[in-house]
């Protein structure tokens, strides 16, 4: 017994040492696992961020190319205008007046910032802004501008800079004006790219475009404009001062600090927080005393535009990446601790059972040694002893992954219907109607191919093929696709669309909008007794207002603000992905129109499509 009593402190010390060792091991394993989970989640989040950034960079590049491509024909046409040639050949007040008015009209129609012509010495003879004495280019000399020199030397030029006359930035396209082989002047168009920056800023993006010298001249944040990514050499500063490309801008460094380059080509960088003063802008006397500005880390991705000599850079905030990685690390740590707690409880359970077995054995031995009478009592105790039961519950968190698949488009259903009817007609020998059905099937298949092409184009934000589209005929084609369903559900169609209603758009994509809106209207009337579609088109000051109304349940106030968000739907699971209204909204916006939803005073919903009149401008 003495040996047993003396061994207890030693056993306790061993247990304590083992517990401390296991605790240290648990801390080390948890730390390493959390670190690994953090790095893995961070890498995955960065990869997703990089992929999204690459796609957005492609969209920004397309928007810049489209913005410039709309006007690259203008200098060529101006250079061949007979009134410009007469003015450059023999300047006079009457010819200058005629040229000014012609340039003013052309600039207003094209929507460019300015149009003007200069003689071979760089003197502006006529300009679209001739009527504004404070802004007029007429009489100004631009021989120092690179776009003038490029046109003189190679026949054309392009150049971004701040206007020395107006003080407004713009992109200049120039073309040499020749009479035979003789250079008589240069035609120039100035393009305003400020709308691109406003769109970027409105979208909450961090985008900047730099020239070949690394100077930011387009940006979603005004504080970044006309700053250099890195300090400029003296030779570059002197050349910029000579050409006055950025006029009186100081071109101080942006404060960009480069970090490591990722495997994807993206780079980790940091910038001063917007609104904080940059050291380079404080002056030499105060720079040393100024505190270091707060900085923020970004993932910077680049895309070169070689035709312009520019580079687009997208800065993606890394705080969400870090937060996601930290969340993954915390969840991993909690999982390990839960597992460790479950293991500790199991170990404690086994220890309790072992001690109970030892105590029972010792008691039995003592009872056998002292008295045989206690054997009966011992058996009663063993029979009466309750068995110890303990249950453990483990909770596992699972994640569902769902694949997105677009709804089968309506022309396919129409083709199936025509195929079924064609079989019946063929059995009856009605060849003429069979040919008509086959022609319609071919037409639907062709329009399906066109629709797929338009969907891809829309995904790229590319420019739509705008032309005059008759609203009534397009609506009839959309109704034809939905005719079987409308007949089956006894939907009454009340249509009042004038035959002369012509809008600017694309027939196939506008038909897709009508089909989406009509299907949504039919879905909204599914449980209604009176099913009625009201289709109207009315001319107003902005073009044509097309209204698609139904007699359904209307739009809930809580859903109106999210109605056009991607993947938002009020339908049951499996009945739609919530992409139809979002796609329709983007298509109408590409045509220069608007799409909105409202409730009818007498019940039901109404979707209003506003599109420009095709008769009000060139197709």
């Amino acid at each position: 017994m003495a040996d047993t009593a003396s061994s207890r402190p030693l056993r306790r010390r061993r247990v304590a040492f083992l517990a401390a060792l296991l605790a240290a091991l648990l801390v080390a394993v948890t730390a390493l696992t959390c670190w690994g989970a953090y790095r893995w989640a961070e890498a995955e989040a960065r990869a997703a961020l990089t992929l999204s950034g690459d796609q957005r960079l492609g969209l920004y590049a397309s928007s810049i190319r489209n913005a410039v491509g709309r006007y690259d024909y203008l200098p060529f046409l101006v250079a061949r205008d007979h009134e410009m040639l007469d003015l450059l050949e023999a300047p006079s007040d009457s010819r200058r007046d005629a040229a000014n008015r012609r340039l003013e009209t052309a600039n207003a129609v094209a929507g460019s910032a300015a149009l003007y012509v200069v003689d071979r010495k760089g003197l502006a003879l006529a300009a679209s802004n001739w009527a504004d004495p404070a802004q007029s280019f007429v009489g100004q000399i631009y021989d120092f501008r690179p776009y003038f020199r490029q046109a003189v030397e190679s026949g054309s030029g392009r150049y971004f800079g701040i206007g020395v006359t107006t003080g407004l930035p713009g992109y200049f396209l120039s073309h040499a004006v020749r009479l035979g082989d003789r250079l008589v002047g240069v035609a120039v168009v100035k393009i305003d790219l400020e709308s691109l920056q406003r769109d970027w800023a409105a979208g909450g993006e961090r985008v900047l475009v730099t020239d070949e010298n690394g100077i930011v001249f387009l940006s979603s944040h005004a504080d970044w404009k006309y700053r250099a990514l890195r300090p400029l050499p003296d030779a570059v500063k002197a050349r910029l001062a000579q050409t006055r490309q950025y006029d009186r801008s100081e071109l101080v460094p942006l404060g960009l600090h480069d970090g490591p380059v990722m495997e994807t080509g993206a780079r980790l960088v940091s910038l001063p927080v917007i609104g904080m003063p940059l050291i380079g802008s404080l002056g030499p006397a105060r720079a040393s005393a100024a505190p270091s500005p707060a900085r923020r880390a970004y993932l910077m991705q680049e895309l070169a535009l070689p035709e312009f000599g520019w580079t687009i850079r997208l800065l993606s905030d890394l705080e969400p990446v870090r937060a996601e990685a930290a969340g993954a690390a915390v969840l991993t740590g909690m999982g390990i601790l839960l597992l460790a707690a479950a293991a500790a409880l199991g170990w404690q359970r086994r220890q309790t059972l072992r001690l109970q077995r030892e105590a029972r054995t010792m008691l039995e031995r003592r009872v056998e040694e002292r008295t045989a009478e206690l054997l009966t009592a011992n058996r009663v105790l063993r029979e009466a002893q309750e068995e110890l039961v303990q249950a453990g519950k483990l909770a596992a968190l699972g994640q569902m992954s769902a694949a997105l698949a677009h709804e089968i488009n309506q022309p396919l259903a129409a083709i199936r219907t025509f195929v079924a009817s064609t079989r019946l007609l063929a059995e009856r020998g009605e060849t003429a109607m069979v040919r008509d059905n086959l022609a319609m099937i071919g037409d639907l298949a062709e329009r399906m191919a066109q629709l797929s092409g338009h969907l891809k184009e829309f995904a790229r934000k590319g420019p739509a093929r705008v032309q005059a589209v008759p609203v009534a005929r397009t609506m009839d084609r959309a109704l034809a696709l939905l005719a079987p369903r409308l007949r089956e559900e006894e939907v009454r169609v009340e249509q009042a669309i004038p035959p002369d209603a012509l809008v600017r758009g694309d027939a196939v994509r506008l038909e897709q909008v009508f089909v989406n809106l009509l299907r949504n209207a039919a879905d909204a009337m599914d449980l209604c007794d009176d099913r009625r579609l009201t289709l109207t088109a009315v001319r107003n000051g902005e073009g044509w207002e097309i209204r698609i109304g139904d007699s359904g349940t209307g739009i809930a106030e809580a859903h109106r603000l999210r109605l056009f968000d991607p993947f938002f739907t009020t339908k049951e699971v499996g009945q739609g992905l919530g992409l139809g209204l979002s796609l329709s909204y983007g298509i109408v916006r590409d045509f220069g129109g608007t799409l909105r939803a409202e409730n009818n005073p007498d019940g039901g919903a109404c979707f209003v499509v506003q599109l420009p009149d095709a008769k009000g401008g060139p197709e």
Side-chain angles (χ1 to χ4, degrees):
M1 296 295 293
D3 294 339
T4 302
S6 62
S7 64
R8 288 177 181 174
L10 179 61
R11 182 183 299 174
R12 292 193 185 99
R13 288 195 295 270
R14 290 177 179 176
V15 171
F17 174 77
L18 180 59
L21 182 62
L22 290 176
L25 181 60
L26 176 61
V27 170
V29 170
T30 303
L32 289 175
T33 307
C34 290
W35 179 82
Y38 181 93
R39 295 302 300 269
W40 176 83
E42 183 183 38
E44 290 294 315
R46 280 184 183 173
L49 191 65
T50 302
L51 179 60
S52 175
D54 289 338
Q55 295 172 348
R56 303 209 304 269
L57 279 175
L59 292 177
Y60 301 147
S62 297
S63 64
I64 291 176
R65 292 189 176 102
N66 293 337
V68 175
R70 291 173 54 192
Y71 306 101
D72 56 4
Y73 70 93
L74 277 177
F76 178 81
L77 292 181
V78 173
R80 281 153 179 76
D81 187 271
H82 64 90
E83 292 187 0
M84 306 304 146
L85 293 173
D86 292 342
L87 175 64
L88 292 171
E89 177 67 14
S92 67
D93 291 342
S94 60
R95 290 180 174 178
R96 179 178 291 105
D97 183 66
N100 282 333
R101 297 182 185 278
R102 192 172 185 87
L103 289 174
E104 183 180 25
T105 301
N107 184 69
V109 172
S112 51
L115 269 174
Y116 56 103
V117 293
V118 299
D119 63 14
R120 60 183 181 180
K121 295 183 180 180
L123 175 65
L125 299 183
S128 60
N129 58 2
W130 64 277
D132 185 357
Q135 303 287 325
S136 176
F137 295 165
V138 178
Q140 303 293 332
I141 297 178
Y142 299 108
D143 61 341
F144 61 92
R145 284 296 208 181
Y147 63 79
F148 174 80
R149 297 178 183 177
Q150 293 169 2
V152 171
E153 295 172 0
S154 62
S156 62
R158 50 180 61 209
Y159 173 77
F160 182 91
I162 298 177
V164 296
T165 303
T166 63
L168 300 176
Y171 189 59
F172 298 84
L173 299 175
S174 61
H175 196 281
V177 182
R178 298 182 181 275
L179 282 174
D181 295 334
R182 182 164 53 91
L183 176 71
V184 295
V186 174
V188 187
V189 60
K190 182 179 180 181
I191 306 170
D192 184 11
L193 300 180
E194 294 298 305
S195 60
L196 294 176
Q197 301 176 112
R198 290 192 292 270
D199 291 342
W200 297 339
E205 299 286 10
R206 298 177 182 86
V207 185
L208 48 88
V209 183
T210 59
D211 63 10
E212 66 276 7
N213 297 314
I215 298 174
V216 180
F217 62 90
L218 291 177
S219 175
S220 57
H221 292 74
D223 293 342
W224 292 346
K225 288 184 64 175
Y226 309 125
R227 298 187 183 274
L229 296 184
R230 295 166 185 83
L232 298 174
D234 293 338
V236 174
K237 292 182 179 179
R239 186 176 71 253
L240 294 176
Q242 180 182 5
T243 60
R244 298 179 64 182
Q245 180 174 3
Y246 299 109
D247 203 18
R248 298 175 180 84
S249 300
E250 297 182 8
L251 304 179
V252 297
L254 184 61
L256 180 73
H257 287 179
D258 289 333
V261 179
M262 304 291 99
E263 295 180 356
T264 57
R267 179 185 292 274
L268 295 179
V269 299
S270 66
L271 276 173
V273 176
I274 295 177
M276 298 291 292
L278 297 178
I279 296 299
S281 63
L282 295 176
R286 298 171 56 195
S288 59
S292 299
R295 305 188 68 83
R296 195 176 187 89
Y298 299 99
L299 183 71
M300 185 173 72
Q301 296 170 257
E302 302 178 357
L303 179 63
L305 297 175
E307 65 269 35
F308 303 107
W310 302 343
T311 301
I312 309 176
R313 290 176 168 86
L314 173 66
L315 301 179
S316 300
D317 193 358
L318 290 176
E319 287 302 320
V321 173
R322 293 171 177 171
E324 185 175 346
V330 170
L331 289 177
T332 301
M334 292 177 61
I336 293 176
L337 292 178
L338 287 175
L339 290 176
L345 289 176
W347 179 82
Q348 184 179 9
R349 166 72 173 170
R350 290 192 297 272
Q351 290 296 106
T352 301
L353 293 176
R354 183 181 61 83
L355 291 176
Q356 289 176 347
R357 288 194 298 269
E358 291 180 355
R360 188 168 55 247
T361 303
M362 184 181 299
L363 180 60
E364 291 173 352
R365 186 169 58 251
R366 288 179 179 178
V367 170
E368 290 176 354
E369 290 177 354
R370 292 183 179 182
T371 177
E373 295 179 357
L374 294 179
L375 291 177
T376 303
N378 191 37
R379 286 195 301 270
V380 173
L381 288 175
R382 287 199 304 268
E383 292 174 357
Q385 177 130 9
E386 297 180 358
E387 297 181 0
L388 300 176
V389 179
Q390 184 176 345
K393 299 179 181 180
L394 298 175
L397 298 177
Q399 297 181 345
M400 285 195 311
S401 62
L404 298 178
H406 203 283
E407 298 172 325
I408 300 176
N409 48 28
Q410 295 81 4
L412 183 58
I415 288 177
R416 291 173 176 171
T417 302
F418 280 122
V419 169
S421 63
T422 302
R423 290 173 179 169
L424 294 176
L425 293 173
E427 292 175 358
R428 298 173 185 174
E430 299 181 14
T431 57
M433 297 186 68
V434 168
R435 285 195 299 270
D436 293 340
N437 279 10
L438 291 177
M440 182 61 72
I441 291 173
D443 182 55
L444 288 171
E446 177 63 25
R447 290 196 290 124
M448 287 173 62
Q450 293 179 1
L451 180 60
S452 299
H454 286 308
L455 287 175
K456 293 179 181 177
E457 179 182 357
F458 174 71
R460 297 193 300 268
K461 291 284 184 186
R465 183 170 61 91
V466 180
Q467 58 184 358
V469 178
V471 178
R473 186 171 64 185
T474 306
M475 185 67 73
D476 288 341
R477 297 176 73 92
L479 288 171
L481 290 176
L482 297 174
R485 176 181 179 180
L486 299 179
R487 285 194 301 269
E488 179 182 354
E489 298 180 0
E490 298 180 354
V491 177
R492 187 168 72 258
V493 179
E494 298 176 357
Q495 184 173 356
I497 299 177
D500 62 340
L502 295 177
V503 297
R504 290 172 55 79
D506 178 87
V508 174
R509 298 179 73 186
L510 183 58
E511 180 181 337
Q512 180 191 359
V513 172
F514 289 163
V515 168
N516 282 335
L517 298 181
L518 291 171
R519 289 188 65 232
N520 285 343
D523 292 340
M525 298 185 293
D526 189 33
L527 301 178
C528 298
D529 295 332
D530 180 24
R531 300 183 179 94
R532 184 177 69 260
L533 279 175
T534 305
L535 313 176
T536 62
V538 179
R539 190 196 303 270
N540 56 22
E542 300 178 0
W544 285 92
E545 182 181 87
I546 306 162
R547 303 179 71 89
I548 300 177
D550 60 63
S551 58
T553 57
I555 303 171
E557 189 65 27
H559 297 158
R560 294 185 66 177
L561 296 179
R562 301 184 56 197
L563 202 58
F564 299 103
D565 290 349
F567 304 110
F568 174 76
T569 179
T570 59
K571 299 177 182 179
E572 297 294 333
V573 176
Q575 296 183 6
L577 292 179
L579 290 175
L581 287 179
S582 177
L583 288 175
S584 300
Y585 183 87
I587 291 173
V588 174
R589 184 182 58 188
D590 285 347
F591 295 158
T594 60
L595 174 60
R596 71 179 190 273
E598 58 188 36
N599 286 322
N600 294 319
D602 55 349
C606 181
F607 285 85
V608 183
V609 181
Q610 178 71 48
L611 289 172
D613 190 354
K615 299 178 180 179
E619 296 182 3

